[in-house]
Amino acid sequence: MKLKPSPALVKSSLSAHSVVGLVIGYLMYLVCLTGALVVYKDVIQRWEQPDVAEFSEFDSTTVETALNDYLSRQEQSPESLYVVLPTDHERRMHLSDGEAEWLLREDGTLGAEPREGLAHLLVELHYYLHLPSNIGILLVSALGAMLLGLIISGLLAHPRIFKDAFRFRLGGSRRLEQADIHNRLSVWGLPFHLMIALTGAFFGLAGLLVLTAAPAYYGGDREALIADIYGGDPVVEAPVQKVDVAAALAELQQRAPEAEPIYLVVQKPNTSGQFLEIAASLPGRLVYSEIYRYDADGIYINHQGLSDGIAGRQILYSVYRIHFGHFGGEGTTFWVKLAYLLLGLALTVVSVTGVNVWLARRGGRDWVNDFWCAGVWGTPAAIAMAALGAVVGNFSLIGFFLAGLVACLGLSLWLRDETRSAMLLKWGSAILLLLLVAVHGLIYPAQVGQGPVLAVHTVALLLAAWFVWAGYRQAAGIKAAEASRGGLAV
Amino acid sequence: MASSLWMNALAPLLCGAGVYLLWRSWRGRKLLGGFSAAGGWLSVLAGIFIWASAAGGEFGTSYALIAVSLVAWIICALGVERRQAKPARNVDVAVADTLGDTSRWHKWGTFVTAGPIACVATCLVTVALSGLLPFASGNRMAFAALAYPLAWGAASVWICASAHLARNALILLAVAAVAAVFLFM
């Protein structure tokens, strides 16, 4: 018996694949592109604010200084006080009360506030499409669910999936070329695409599930539902005193020597219910962290069971690292991130080529071609323009991004020739990237040769070179097409 | 330690060899007396197993799946067939109907049914069905959290693939109503 879908099923699946793909086309492209770049969010943050102290070592005194410095400045204690610890990969220390955030100096005192630059724009676009967070996260998660639908329909619409698995034709008919790129990237990237879609959808749709399941199974108590999955908070009642961070860190070192603390939280600080949580990553585990709880004396209370609790808890707490590629053993973290960048960019190309296939198949051209061209090639230019705005001054990131996108759209609609528009937009992106590197280098000359700045500048220059080359190829194509038309006329 | 190093080196080789054998098989250049495909899959599975043994089940499986994707893309790129590009027509040509031949109402109906209606219906059904699973309550909710997006995606494809929009919308609404009664009554 052959497991081959019927022609009717193939046809209807292909139709559904086209409809869903077209409806979410640009948003999917935007979320995939920004998601691929967000993998390197920490490097971009270090690049956009390179004059901040970096260190990978800390001790309890540094943490206590930070907490005391913060509490001495505030009249009211926050609900939770977070201290993000430096590691070999993330060499900056932050303190946040949930509302505001500070980067910490090496002695633990509060330093500058983080700048809202390119990394912030990419995160806002990827998580929320820069909409209000509760609407945006739902919309992005819906895209994840639709991506799952696209994967299902794509598999059903592809009866020669094995036979064609390695067939890759460039040139020839535009439709065939784009379909080959689309199919080869999507079929072999399937495990990654499934994982990205499922975990991406989870972030926002979990909220809808809580709203539905809490009244049905937990008497309307949403916190009870969340505690059932992730584990509840301990109840502490003790006289108010300073939290003994040193004792807690020392105890953790004895209890779980393999655990690497990544952040700590003082819950309900300066109240009788205060307690300390130390989140620590565990080697070989995808769970974001285990959370160890201590009272103000630094005496161990319990741990949340994120790494050894019920299976569902461990799986859901692994979602972040799996989705963003923040995992890997010693020496492999770099390669995992690079692979995630490539896989993410591949999914971006899949989004683009899917719509390209549809455009090529329908024949003719109209404003849709111009919109699509401006969306695809205008977005990198708009991102580069927003980044430039953030480097030069404190300009509105989303304002610059949208203005850039609208300008690209205007150009494309005015030219009514997507090949020429794509060429100009690629060259425009190259110019903006070169400007970005030059301006950043002028503002931070002392940091030009240093790690993250050097890395971002190198990537930006390589990208600019690629845009120049790709635009040049397009220009050559235009010339060849004009020459052949001229020849025919003669 | 040394054996772990060897395993970490062997695993990607096995994954790569597996993909190579699959390429031989599916492109009609069989090796191993016609057992290329089976050998390919076995090699990939062996790569996953060895990587999982060396780097732990979670990391090792992730590494292996990533490696298989990347190696397959490299093989596709190496075997590219280049053809003479046909010149693109960049003049405006009337497009009969940009978004298919159905009415505007049908398009909006499809959007609403595959979007919000399917979203709510699959949420209710997933939560209701997960409550029947023989797991701990936390695990039931975790299962629902992962099954729900899959159910919504599948429902959307079903709606878009079928010509019977009204019938399918009614089925979704009816199923949602039954699930809501089960959950809240």
Side-chain angles (χ1 to χ4, degrees), chain A residues 12 16 142 145-146 149 162 166-172 184-185 188 198 201 208-209 212 217 228-229 285-286 312 328-329 332 339 343 346 358 362 365-366 416-417 419, chain B residues 23 26-27 58-59 63 66 69 72-73 76 80-84 86 90-93 98 123 127-128 131 137-139 141-142 144-146 148-149 152-153 156-157 161 183:
Chain A
S12 57
M146 293 305 111
F162 293 124
F166 291 100
R167 187 138 203 225
F168 186 34
R169 290 156 291 187
L170 287 181
R184 295 304 82 79
L185 289 179
W188 286 110
L198 197 59
L208 283 185
L209 271 181
T212 311
Y217 298 128
D228 201 13
I229 300 175
R285 298 300 309 272
L286 288 168
T332 51
L343 291 158
W358 176 81
R362 72 180 189 147
R365 69 168 307 285
D366 58 11
R416 294 203 304 178
D417 177 344
T419 316
Chain B
W23 172 74
W26 294 342
R27 297 297 281 157
E58 297 174 21
F59 283 11
Y63 295 160
I66 290 171
S69 295
W73 286 341
C76 287
V80 65
E81 298 168 33
R82 291 194 180 275
R83 298 173 174 196
Q84 181 66 41
K86 292 180 182 168
N90 278 324
V91 287
D92 272 13
V93 175
T98 299
C123 181
V127 171
S137 55
N139 282 338
M141 290 302 105
L146 296 175
Y148 170 36
W152 184 11
S156 297
V157 166
L183 287 170

Coordinates of all heavy atoms in Angstrom, one line a residue, chain A residues 12 16 142 145-146 149 162 166-172 184-185 188 198 201 208-209 212 217 228-229 285-286 312 328-329 332 339 343 346 358 362 365-366 416-417 419, chain B residues 23 26-27 58-59 63 66 69 72-73 76 80-84 86 90-93 98 123 127-128 131 137-139 141-142 144-146 148-149 152-153 156-157 161 183:
Chain A
S12 N -6.7 20.5 -2.9 CA -7.3 21.3 -1.9 C -6.2 21.7 -0.8 O -6.3 22.9 -0.3 CB -8.4 20.5 -1.2 OG -8.0 19.3 -0.7
A16 N -5.4 25.6 0.1 CA -5.4 26.1 1.5 C -4.0 26.6 1.9 O -3.9 27.7 2.5 CB -5.7 24.9 2.5
A142 N -0.7 33.6 16.9 CA -1.6 33.1 15.8 C -0.8 32.8 14.6 O -1.1 31.8 13.9 CB -2.7 34.1 15.5
A145 N 0.5 29.4 15.0 CA -0.5 28.3 14.7 C -0.7 28.2 13.2 O -0.8 27.1 12.7 CB -1.8 28.7 15.4
M146 N -0.7 29.3 12.5 CA -0.9 29.3 11.0 C 0.3 28.6 10.3 O 0.2 27.9 9.3 CB -1.1 30.7 10.5 CG -2.4 31.4 10.9 SD -3.9 30.4 10.5 CE -4.4 29.9 12.1
G149 N -0.3 25.1 10.4 CA -1.2 24.8 9.4 C -0.5 24.7 8.0 O -0.8 23.8 7.2
F162 N 9.7 12.9 -1.3 CA 10.9 12.2 -1.2 C 11.7 12.2 -2.5 O 12.9 12.5 -2.6 CB 10.7 10.7 -0.8 CG 10.2 10.6 0.6 CD1 9.0 9.9 0.9 CD2 10.9 11.1 1.7 CE1 8.6 9.8 2.2 CE2 10.4 11.0 3.0 CZ 9.3 10.4 3.2
F166 N 15.9 16.4 -3.0 CA 17.2 17.0 -3.3 C 17.3 17.8 -4.6 O 18.3 18.2 -5.0 CB 18.3 16.0 -3.3 CG 18.6 15.4 -1.9 CD1 18.0 14.1 -1.6 CD2 19.3 16.0 -1.0 CE1 18.2 13.6 -0.4 CE2 19.5 15.5 0.3 CZ 19.0 14.2 0.6
R167 N 16.1 17.9 -5.3 CA 16.1 18.5 -6.6 C 16.1 20.0 -6.5 O 15.2 20.6 -5.9 CB 14.9 18.0 -7.4 CG 14.9 18.5 -8.8 CD 14.4 17.3 -9.7 NE 14.9 17.5 -11.0 CZ 14.1 17.4 -12.1 NH1 12.8 17.0 -12.0 NH2 14.6 17.6 -13.3
F168 N 17.1 20.7 -7.0 CA 17.2 22.1 -6.8 C 17.6 22.8 -8.2 O 18.7 22.6 -8.6 CB 18.3 22.4 -5.8 CG 18.4 23.8 -5.4 CD1 17.3 24.7 -5.3 CD2 19.7 24.3 -5.0 CE1 17.5 26.0 -5.0 CE2 19.8 25.6 -4.6 CZ 18.7 26.5 -4.6
R169 N 16.6 23.5 -8.8 CA 16.9 24.1 -10.1 C 16.9 25.6 -9.9 O 15.9 26.2 -9.4 CB 15.8 23.7 -11.0 CG 15.9 22.2 -11.4 CD 14.6 21.6 -11.9 NE 13.6 21.5 -10.8 CZ 12.5 20.9 -10.9 NH1 12.1 20.4 -12.1 NH2 11.6 20.9 -9.9
L170 N 17.9 26.2 -10.4 CA 18.0 27.7 -10.4 C 17.9 28.2 -11.9 O 18.5 27.5 -12.8 CB 19.2 28.2 -9.8 CG 19.3 28.1 -8.2 CD1 20.6 28.7 -7.7 CD2 18.2 28.8 -7.5
G171 N 17.3 29.3 -12.1 CA 17.2 29.8 -13.5 C 15.9 29.2 -14.1 O 15.1 28.6 -13.3
G172 N 15.8 29.2 -15.4 CA 14.6 28.7 -16.0 C 13.4 29.5 -15.7 O 13.5 30.7 -15.5
R184 N 12.8 22.9 -1.0 CA 14.0 22.3 -0.4 C 14.3 22.9 1.0 O 14.6 22.1 1.9 CB 15.2 22.6 -1.3 CG 15.2 22.0 -2.7 CD 15.0 20.5 -2.8 NE 13.7 20.1 -2.7 CZ 12.8 20.1 -3.6 NH1 13.1 20.5 -4.8 NH2 11.5 19.7 -3.4
L185 N 14.1 24.2 1.1 CA 14.4 24.8 2.4 C 13.3 24.3 3.5 O 13.6 24.0 4.6 CB 14.4 26.3 2.4 CG 15.6 26.9 1.7 CD1 15.4 28.5 1.6 CD2 16.9 26.6 2.4
W188 N 13.6 20.2 4.3 CA 14.7 19.8 5.2 C 14.8 20.6 6.5 O 15.4 20.2 7.4 CB 16.0 19.9 4.4 CG 16.2 18.8 3.4 CD1 16.1 18.8 2.1 CD2 16.3 17.4 3.7 NE1 16.2 17.6 1.5 CE2 16.4 16.7 2.5 CE3 16.5 16.6 4.9 CZ2 16.5 15.3 2.4 CZ3 16.6 15.2 4.8 CH2 16.6 14.6 3.6
L198 N 5.5 25.7 16.9 CA 4.8 25.3 18.1 C 5.2 26.1 19.3 O 4.3 26.6 20.1 CB 5.2 23.8 18.4 CG 4.3 23.0 19.3 CD1 2.9 23.0 18.8 CD2 4.8 21.6 19.4
A201 N 3.9 29.7 19.0 CA 2.5 29.8 19.2 C 2.2 29.7 20.7 O 1.2 30.4 21.2 CB 1.7 28.7 18.4
L208 N -4.8 32.4 26.4 CA -6.2 32.1 26.1 C -6.5 30.8 26.8 O -7.7 30.6 27.3 CB -6.3 31.9 24.6 CG -6.4 33.1 23.7 CD1 -6.7 32.7 22.2 CD2 -7.5 34.0 24.1
L209 N -5.6 29.8 26.8 CA -5.9 28.6 27.5 C -6.1 28.8 29.0 O -7.0 28.2 29.6 CB -4.7 27.6 27.3 CG -4.7 26.7 26.1 CD1 -3.4 25.9 26.1 CD2 -5.9 25.8 26.1
T212 N -9.5 30.0 29.6 CA -10.6 29.0 29.4 C -10.5 27.9 30.5 O -11.6 27.5 31.0 CB -10.4 28.3 28.0 OG1 -10.2 29.3 27.0 CG2 -11.5 27.4 27.6
Y217 N -11.6 24.3 35.4 CA -11.0 23.3 36.3 C -10.4 23.8 37.6 O -10.1 23.0 38.5 CB -9.8 22.6 35.5 CG -10.2 21.9 34.3 CD1 -9.6 22.1 33.1 CD2 -11.2 20.9 34.3 CE1 -9.9 21.4 31.9 CE2 -11.6 20.2 33.1 CZ -10.9 20.5 31.9 OH -11.3 19.8 30.8
D228 N -0.1 25.0 39.3 CA -0.2 23.6 39.0 C 0.8 23.2 38.0 O 1.4 22.1 38.0 CB -1.6 23.3 38.6 CG -1.9 21.8 38.8 OD1 -1.2 21.1 39.4 OD2 -3.0 21.4 38.2
I229 N 1.0 24.1 37.0 CA 2.0 23.8 35.9 C 3.4 24.1 36.4 O 4.3 23.2 36.3 CB 1.7 24.6 34.6 CG1 0.3 24.2 34.1 CG2 2.7 24.3 33.5 CD1 -0.2 25.1 33.0
R285 N 20.8 20.7 29.9 CA 19.3 20.8 30.0 C 18.8 22.0 29.3 O 19.4 23.1 29.2 CB 18.9 21.0 31.5 CG 19.2 19.8 32.4 CD 18.6 18.5 31.9 NE 17.2 18.6 31.7 CZ 16.2 18.4 32.6 NH1 16.6 18.0 33.9 NH2 15.0 18.5 32.3
L286 N 17.6 21.8 28.6 CA 17.0 22.9 27.9 C 16.1 23.8 28.7 O 15.7 24.8 28.3 CB 16.2 22.3 26.7 CG 17.0 21.7 25.6 CD1 16.1 20.9 24.6 CD2 17.7 22.8 24.8
G312 N 5.4 17.9 32.1 CA 4.8 19.1 31.4 C 5.5 20.4 31.8 O 5.7 21.3 31.0
G328 N 23.4 24.9 24.6 CA 24.7 24.4 24.1 C 25.7 24.2 25.2 O 25.7 24.9 26.2
G329 N 26.5 23.2 25.0 CA 27.5 22.9 26.0 C 28.7 23.8 25.7 O 28.7 24.7 24.8
T332 N 29.9 24.8 22.1 CA 28.9 24.6 21.1 C 27.9 25.8 21.0 O 27.2 25.9 20.0 CB 28.2 23.3 21.3 OG1 27.7 23.2 22.6 CG2 29.0 22.1 21.0
A339 N 23.7 28.3 13.8 CA 22.8 27.5 13.1 C 21.4 28.0 13.2 O 20.6 28.0 12.2 CB 22.8 26.1 13.7
L343 N 19.0 28.8 10.1 CA 17.7 28.2 10.0 C 16.6 29.2 10.0 O 15.6 29.1 9.3 CB 17.5 27.2 11.2 CG 18.4 26.0 11.1 CD1 18.6 25.3 12.5 CD2 17.8 24.9 10.2
A346 N 16.5 30.9 6.7 CA 15.9 30.0 5.8 C 14.4 30.0 5.8 O 13.7 30.1 4.8 CB 16.4 28.6 6.0
W358 N 3.4 32.1 -5.8 CA 2.0 32.5 -6.1 C 2.0 33.6 -7.1 O 1.2 33.6 -8.1 CB 1.3 32.9 -4.8 CG -0.1 33.4 -5.1 CD1 -1.2 32.6 -5.2 CD2 -0.5 34.8 -5.1 NE1 -2.3 33.5 -5.4 CE2 -1.9 34.8 -5.4 CE3 0.2 36.0 -5.0 CZ2 -2.6 35.9 -5.5 CZ3 -0.6 37.1 -5.1 CH2 -2.0 37.1 -5.4
R362 N 0.3 33.2 -11.0 CA -0.9 33.9 -11.4 C -0.7 34.7 -12.7 O -1.7 35.0 -13.4 CB -1.4 34.9 -10.3 CG -0.6 36.1 -10.2 CD -1.0 37.1 -9.1 NE -0.2 38.3 -9.2 CZ -0.7 39.5 -9.0 NH1 -1.9 39.7 -8.6 NH2 0.1 40.5 -9.1
R365 N 1.2 41.3 -13.7 CA 1.7 42.0 -12.5 C 0.8 43.1 -12.3 O 0.1 43.7 -13.1 CB 3.2 42.4 -12.7 CG 3.4 43.5 -13.7 CD 4.8 44.1 -13.6 NE 5.1 44.5 -12.3 CZ 4.7 45.6 -11.7 NH1 3.8 46.4 -12.3 NH2 5.1 46.0 -10.5
D366 N 0.7 43.5 -11.0 CA 0.0 44.7 -10.6 C 0.6 45.3 -9.3 O 1.7 45.0 -9.0 CB -1.5 44.4 -10.5 CG -1.8 43.3 -9.5 OD1 -0.9 42.9 -8.8 OD2 -2.9 42.8 -9.5
R416 N 6.8 51.0 -10.4 CA 6.0 49.9 -11.0 C 6.8 48.9 -11.8 O 6.5 48.5 -12.9 CB 4.9 50.5 -11.9 CG 3.9 51.4 -11.1 CD 2.6 51.5 -11.8 NE 2.7 52.1 -13.1 CZ 1.7 52.2 -14.0 NH1 0.5 51.8 -13.6 NH2 1.9 52.8 -15.1
D417 N 8.0 48.6 -11.2 CA 8.9 47.6 -11.8 C 9.6 47.0 -10.7 O 10.6 47.5 -10.1 CB 9.8 48.3 -12.8 CG 10.8 47.4 -13.4 OD1 11.0 46.3 -12.9 OD2 11.5 47.8 -14.4
T419 N 11.7 44.6 -10.4 CA 13.1 44.2 -10.5 C 14.0 45.5 -10.2 O 15.0 45.4 -9.5 CB 13.4 43.7 -12.0 OG1 12.4 42.8 -12.3 CG2 14.7 43.1 -12.1
Chain B
W23 N 20.2 10.9 -0.4 CA 20.4 11.6 -1.7 C 20.7 10.5 -2.8 O 20.0 10.6 -3.9 CB 21.5 12.6 -1.6 CG 21.9 13.2 -2.8 CD1 21.2 14.2 -3.5 CD2 23.1 13.0 -3.6 NE1 21.9 14.5 -4.7 CE2 23.0 13.8 -4.8 CE3 24.2 12.1 -3.5 CZ2 24.0 13.8 -5.7 CZ3 25.2 12.1 -4.5 CH2 25.1 13.0 -5.6
W26 N 17.3 8.6 -3.4 CA 16.2 9.4 -4.0 C 16.5 10.0 -5.4 O 15.6 10.4 -6.1 CB 15.7 10.5 -3.0 CG 15.1 9.8 -1.8 CD1 14.7 8.6 -1.7 CD2 14.9 10.5 -0.5 NE1 14.2 8.3 -0.4 CE2 14.3 9.5 0.3 CE3 15.1 11.7 0.0 CZ2 14.0 9.8 1.6 CZ3 14.8 12.0 1.3 CH2 14.2 11.0 2.1
R27 N 17.8 10.1 -5.7 CA 18.2 10.6 -7.0 C 18.5 9.5 -7.9 O 19.2 9.7 -8.9 CB 19.4 11.6 -6.8 CG 19.1 12.9 -6.0 CD 18.0 13.7 -6.6 NE 18.5 14.5 -7.8 CZ 17.7 15.0 -8.7 NH1 16.5 14.8 -8.7 NH2 18.3 15.7 -9.7
E58 N 18.7 15.9 25.4 CA 18.0 17.1 24.9 C 19.0 17.8 23.9 O 18.5 18.2 22.8 CB 17.7 18.0 26.1 CG 16.7 17.4 27.0 CD 16.5 18.2 28.3 OE1 16.8 19.4 28.4 OE2 16.0 17.6 29.3
F59 N 20.2 18.1 24.3 CA 21.1 18.8 23.4 C 21.5 17.9 22.2 O 21.5 18.4 21.1 CB 22.4 19.1 24.2 CG 22.3 20.3 25.1 CD1 21.1 20.9 25.4 CD2 23.4 20.9 25.6 CE1 21.0 21.9 26.3 CE2 23.4 22.0 26.5 CZ 22.1 22.5 26.8
Y63 N 21.1 18.9 18.3 CA 22.2 19.1 17.5 C 22.1 18.2 16.2 O 22.3 18.7 15.1 CB 23.5 18.6 18.1 CG 24.0 19.4 19.3 CD1 24.9 18.8 20.3 CD2 23.5 20.7 19.6 CE1 25.3 19.5 21.4 CE2 24.0 21.4 20.7 CZ 24.8 20.8 21.6 OH 25.3 21.5 22.7
I66 N 19.5 19.6 13.8 CA 20.0 20.8 13.1 C 21.0 20.3 12.0 O 21.0 20.8 10.9 CB 20.7 21.7 14.1 CG1 19.7 22.4 15.0 CG2 21.6 22.8 13.4 CD1 20.3 23.2 16.2
S69 N 19.4 19.0 8.8 CA 18.9 20.1 7.9 C 20.0 20.7 7.2 O 19.9 20.9 6.0 CB 18.2 21.1 8.8 OG 17.1 20.6 9.4
A72 N 21.7 18.5 4.5 CA 20.8 18.3 3.3 C 20.8 19.6 2.4 O 20.8 19.4 1.2 CB 19.4 18.0 3.8
W73 N 20.8 20.7 3.1 CA 20.8 22.0 2.3 C 22.1 22.1 1.5 O 22.1 22.5 0.3 CB 20.6 23.2 3.2 CG 19.2 23.3 3.6 CD1 18.1 22.8 3.1 CD2 18.8 24.1 4.8 NE1 17.0 23.1 3.8 CE2 17.4 24.0 4.8 CE3 19.4 24.9 5.7 CZ2 16.6 24.6 5.8 CZ3 18.6 25.5 6.7 CH2 17.2 25.4 6.7
C76 N 21.9 19.8 -1.4 CA 21.0 20.4 -2.5 C 21.8 21.5 -3.2 O 21.7 21.5 -4.5 CB 19.8 21.0 -1.8 SG 18.6 19.9 -1.2
V80 N 23.0 21.7 -7.5 CA 22.1 22.6 -8.2 C 22.2 22.5 -9.7 O 23.2 22.3 -10.3 CB 22.4 24.1 -7.8 CG1 23.8 24.5 -8.2 CG2 21.4 25.1 -8.3
E81 N 21.0 22.5 -10.3 CA 20.9 22.5 -11.8 C 20.7 23.9 -12.3 O 19.6 24.5 -11.9 CB 19.7 21.6 -12.3 CG 19.8 20.2 -11.9 CD 18.5 19.5 -12.1 OE1 17.7 19.8 -13.1 OE2 18.1 18.6 -11.3
R82 N 21.6 24.5 -13.0 CA 21.5 25.9 -13.5 C 20.9 25.9 -14.9 O 21.3 25.2 -15.7 CB 22.8 26.6 -13.4 CG 23.3 26.8 -12.0 CD 24.5 27.8 -12.0 NE 24.9 28.0 -10.6 CZ 24.3 28.9 -9.8 NH1 23.3 29.6 -10.2 NH2 24.8 29.0 -8.5
R83 N 19.9 26.8 -15.0 CA 19.3 26.9 -16.3 C 19.3 28.4 -16.8 O 19.4 29.2 -15.9 CB 17.8 26.4 -16.3 CG 17.7 25.0 -15.9 CD 16.3 24.6 -15.6 NE 16.2 23.1 -15.4 CZ 15.1 22.5 -15.4 NH1 13.9 23.1 -15.7 NH2 15.1 21.2 -15.2
Q84 N 19.1 28.6 -18.0 CA 19.0 29.9 -18.6 C 17.7 30.6 -18.1 O 16.6 30.1 -18.3 CB 19.0 29.9 -20.1 CG 19.0 31.2 -20.8 CD 20.2 32.0 -20.6 OE1 21.3 31.5 -20.6 NE2 20.1 33.3 -20.3
K86 N 14.6 32.8 -17.8 CA 13.7 33.5 -18.7 C 13.5 34.9 -18.3 O 13.3 35.2 -17.1 CB 12.3 32.8 -18.7 CG 12.4 31.4 -19.3 CD 11.1 30.7 -19.3 CE 11.2 29.3 -19.8 NZ 10.0 28.5 -19.6
N90 N 8.2 42.9 -16.9 CA 8.0 43.9 -15.8 C 7.1 45.1 -16.3 O 7.3 46.2 -15.9 CB 9.4 44.5 -15.3 CG 10.0 43.5 -14.3 OD1 9.2 42.9 -13.5 ND2 11.2 43.3 -14.4
V91 N 6.2 44.8 -17.1 CA 5.2 45.8 -17.5 C 3.8 45.3 -16.9 O 3.6 44.1 -16.7 CB 5.0 45.9 -19.0 CG1 6.2 46.6 -19.6 CG2 4.9 44.5 -19.6
D92 N 3.0 46.3 -16.5 CA 1.7 46.0 -15.9 C 0.9 45.2 -16.9 O 0.7 45.6 -18.0 CB 1.0 47.3 -15.6 CG 1.4 47.7 -14.2 OD1 2.3 47.1 -13.7 OD2 0.7 48.6 -13.6
V93 N 0.4 44.0 -16.4 CA -0.5 43.2 -17.2 C -1.7 42.9 -16.3 O -1.5 42.6 -15.1 CB 0.2 41.9 -17.6 CG1 -0.8 40.9 -18.3 CG2 1.4 42.1 -18.4
T98 N -7.0 38.9 -8.3 CA -5.8 38.7 -7.5 C -6.0 37.6 -6.5 O -5.1 36.9 -6.2 CB -5.5 40.0 -6.9 OG1 -5.2 40.9 -7.9 CG2 -4.2 39.9 -6.0
C123 N -9.7 26.0 21.0 CA -9.3 26.2 22.4 C -10.2 25.5 23.3 O -9.8 24.7 24.2 CB -9.3 27.7 22.7 SG -8.8 28.2 24.3
V127 N -9.1 22.2 25.6 CA -9.1 22.2 27.0 C -10.1 21.1 27.5 O -9.8 20.4 28.5 CB -9.6 23.6 27.5 CG1 -9.9 23.6 29.0 CG2 -8.5 24.6 27.2
A128 N -11.2 20.9 26.8 CA -12.1 19.9 27.2 C -11.5 18.5 27.1 O -11.6 17.7 28.1 CB -13.4 20.0 26.4
G131 N -8.8 17.6 29.6 CA -9.3 17.2 30.9 C -9.6 15.7 31.1 O -9.8 15.2 32.2
S137 N -2.8 16.9 36.7 CA -3.5 18.0 36.2 C -2.6 19.0 35.5 O -2.9 19.6 34.4 CB -4.3 18.7 37.2 OG -3.5 19.0 38.3
G138 N -1.4 19.2 36.1 CA -0.4 20.1 35.4 C 0.0 19.6 34.1 O 0.2 20.4 33.1
N139 N 0.2 18.3 33.9 CA 0.6 17.7 32.6 C -0.5 17.8 31.6 O -0.3 18.0 30.4 CB 1.0 16.2 32.8 CG 2.4 16.0 33.4 OD1 3.2 17.0 33.3 ND2 2.6 14.9 34.0
M141 N -2.6 20.3 31.4 CA -2.6 21.7 30.9 C -1.4 21.9 30.0 O -1.5 22.6 29.0 CB -2.5 22.7 32.1 CG -3.8 22.8 32.9 SD -5.3 23.2 32.0 CE -6.1 21.7 31.8
A142 N -0.3 21.3 30.3 CA 0.9 21.4 29.4 C 0.6 20.8 28.1 O 0.9 21.4 27.0 CB 2.1 20.8 30.1
A144 N -2.3 20.5 26.7 CA -3.3 21.4 26.0 C -2.5 22.6 25.4 O -2.8 23.0 24.3 CB -4.4 21.9 27.0
A145 N -1.6 23.1 26.1 CA -0.8 24.3 25.7 C -0.1 24.0 24.3 O 0.1 24.8 23.5 CB 0.2 24.7 26.7
L146 N 0.4 22.7 24.2 CA 1.1 22.4 23.0 C 0.2 21.8 21.9 O 0.4 22.0 20.7 CB 2.2 21.4 23.3 CG 3.3 21.9 24.2 CD1 4.3 20.8 24.6 CD2 4.0 23.1 23.6
Y148 N -3.0 22.8 21.4 CA -3.9 23.8 20.9 C -3.5 24.5 19.6 O -4.2 24.6 18.7 CB -4.2 24.8 22.1 CG -4.9 26.1 21.7 CD1 -6.0 26.1 20.7 CD2 -4.6 27.3 22.3 CE1 -6.6 27.2 20.4 CE2 -5.3 28.4 22.0 CZ -6.3 28.4 21.0 OH -6.9 29.6 20.7
P149 N -2.2 25.0 19.6 CA -1.8 25.6 18.3 C -1.9 24.7 17.1 O -2.2 25.1 16.0 CB -0.3 26.0 18.6 CG -0.1 26.0 20.0 CD -1.2 25.0 20.6
W152 N -5.5 24.4 16.1 CA -6.0 25.6 15.4 C -5.4 25.6 13.9 O -6.1 25.9 13.0 CB -5.6 26.8 16.2 CG -6.1 28.1 15.6 CD1 -7.0 28.2 14.6 CD2 -5.7 29.4 15.9 NE1 -7.3 29.6 14.3 CE2 -6.5 30.3 15.1 CE3 -4.8 30.0 16.9 CZ2 -6.4 31.7 15.2 CZ3 -4.7 31.3 17.0 CH2 -5.5 32.2 16.1
G153 N -4.1 25.3 13.8 CA -3.5 25.3 12.5 C -4.2 24.3 11.6 O -4.5 24.6 10.4
S156 N -7.7 25.5 10.5 CA -7.6 26.6 9.6 C -7.4 26.0 8.2 O -8.0 26.4 7.2 CB -6.5 27.5 9.9 OG -6.7 28.1 11.1
V157 N -6.5 25.0 8.1 CA -6.2 24.4 6.8 C -7.4 23.7 6.3 O -7.8 23.8 5.1 CB -5.0 23.4 6.9 CG1 -4.9 22.5 5.7 CG2 -3.7 24.2 7.1
A161 N -9.2 24.6 2.8 CA -9.2 23.5 1.8 C -10.5 23.1 1.3 O -10.6 22.6 0.2 CB -8.4 22.3 2.3
L183 N -17.4 22.0 29.6 CA -16.5 22.7 30.5 C -17.2 23.5 31.6 O -16.8 23.6 32.8 CB -15.6 23.6 29.7 CG -14.5 22.9 28.9 CD1 -13.8 24.0 28.0 CD2 -13.5 22.3 29.8

